[in-house]
Amino acid sequence: MYYVIIAHDAEDSAETRPLYRQEHRERLMKRAEEGRLLLAGPFTDYSGSLIIIDAESEEEAQTFARTDPYTIHGVYTRVEVRPFKKVFPED
């Protein structure tokens, strides 16, 4: 099942984000290589990011969000995880 992760940036994220970008991206790339990342990217207003992952359970998605380097190091101040039903495009 897909889960949407809505991550809210800290006010100083422009300064702290580059410090942890490589670790964050490597983690996302690993999930993409496993075929378990639908999409990921920042909002253009610099308020946060959107990540959609394939996970076995909401608990797995919550753990993924909580253990992201950006969450651990305070780039994200809050993450929301919600189940998501992909309708289009059809697989």
Side-chain angles (χ1 to χ4, degrees):
M1 173 173 233
Y2 288 116
Y3 291 88
V4 172
I5 300 169
I6 303 168
H8 302 268
D9 276 13
E11 287 188 27
D12 66 345
S13 66
E15 293 83 39
T16 58
R17 183 180 289 267
L19 302 173
Y20 309 103
R21 180 175 284 127
Q22 182 175 345
E23 186 180 356
H24 169 77
R25 288 179 53 88
E26 287 173 358
R27 191 165 181 266
L28 290 173
M29 289 299 297
K30 181 175 186 243
R31 196 149 191 120
E33 289 167 1
E34 295 169 351
R36 301 181 70 207
L37 177 69
L38 185 62
L39 62 86
F43 297 125
T44 57
D45 65 358
Y46 306 102
S47 63
S49 299
L50 176 73
I51 303 168
I52 303 179
I53 63 169
D54 184 9
E56 294 294 319
S57 65
E58 186 168 344
E59 181 180 335
E60 179 188 335
Q62 291 279 359
T63 299
F64 183 82
R66 280 193 316 268
T67 59
D68 187 284
Y70 283 177
T71 305
I72 292 169
H73 297 289
V75 175
Y76 296 153
T77 58
R78 180 169 58 96
V79 291
E80 299 173 50
V81 176
R82 305 214 179 180
F84 177 75
K85 181 179 179 181
K86 181 179 176 259
V87 177
F88 292 103
E90 294 180 25
D91 291 327

